[in-house]
Amino acid sequence: MREVREISMKRIEEKAEAMKAGKTTGESFFDLLLESELVEVHGIKNTGDIIGQLRLFYFVGYDTASMMLVWTMVLLSIHQNWQQRAREEVFQVYGDSEPNYEGLSQLKIVISMILNEVLRLYPPIVELSRLVEQETRLGEIVVPANTIVRLPTLMVHRDPEI
């Protein structure tokens, strides 16, 4: 955590100086986060909040990606014919060269079929909840105000009728 804090502080200071000099693009999440916390004259309002938000996004993203990869490996070990198809596609796209970002768009079996199917079967968010603030009509159904509506994505993704 100390190392994450030190790296974050260094990046915050670099970005804050670049932003003050008008040398920022504002394209990344990090830029937008800093812009929301930057005060023109006094610099960054609260670096602790920024570091906390960066940690949250980093660790949540890491956990989500790692769980998807674990489920991908489990399903590929069960369905070895798909494992073979994925392996063949990767070798066809990359050959003996090292995989790179540009080749990802060519991996139709791996990305479009395998990873999307893993996300369908084991979504990172298993339920969505929303508060209905005012009475709402959905076809013949009336949802009263102050009702919590839940959508169990895990069940929806597995229901053949849906």
Side-chain angles (χ1 to χ4, degrees):
M1 286 302 209
R2 186 179 325 119
E3 186 176 345
V4 170
R5 181 170 177 68
E6 289 171 5
I7 291 169
S8 297
M9 281 302 299
K10 182 179 178 187
R11 294 284 292 139
I12 288 169
E13 291 166 3
E14 289 170 357
K15 282 288 188 180
E17 289 303 315
M19 289 169 68
K20 286 178 186 177
K23 296 180 183 177
T24 183
T25 60
E27 293 177 358
S28 72
F29 171 76
F30 189 67
D31 290 336
L32 295 172
L33 179 62
L34 284 181
E35 284 174 14
S36 73
E37 296 294 326
L38 188 64
V39 176
E40 258 181 59
V41 179
H42 299 97
I44 301 293
K45 285 191 272 187
N46 188 342
T47 56
D49 286 347
I50 296 172
I51 292 170
Q53 290 178 32
L54 290 173
R55 279 188 197 148
L56 173 69
F57 278 92
Y58 174 78
F59 290 114
V60 168
Y62 177 81
D63 187 48
T64 302
S66 65
M67 290 306 294
M68 182 188 70
L69 292 174
V70 166
W71 279 115
T72 301
M73 295 300 106
V74 168
L75 290 175
L76 286 175
S77 69
I78 294 169
H79 303 283
Q80 293 183 6
N81 57 324
W82 282 97
Q83 183 183 126
Q84 184 59 35
R85 290 177 71 178
R87 182 179 292 117
E88 288 169 2
E89 181 182 54
V90 169
F91 281 121
Q92 179 183 6
V93 170
Y94 292 109
D96 291 332
S97 64
E98 192 169 309
N100 56 47
Y101 183 76
E102 291 78 32
L104 289 177
S105 64
Q106 297 174 40
L107 298 175
K108 302 299 181 206
I109 292 172
V110 172
I111 305 293
S112 299
M113 299 172 85
I114 294 173
L115 293 181
N116 283 340
E117 181 66 358
V118 170
L119 288 171
R120 182 187 72 81
L121 292 171
Y122 302 100
I125 299 171
V126 295
E127 179 182 88
L128 298 172
S129 298
R130 296 291 183 267
L131 174 66
V132 178
E133 294 180 355
Q134 60 186 353
E135 185 176 288
T136 304
R137 179 175 290 279
L138 299 170
E140 295 181 19
I141 300 171
V142 176
V143 182
N146 299 316
T147 301
I148 295 176
V149 177
R150 293 193 168 133
L151 176 68
T153 54
L154 190 61
M155 292 174 66
V156 170
H157 286 183
R158 291 168 179 252
D159 187 334
E161 290 183 28
I162 296 174

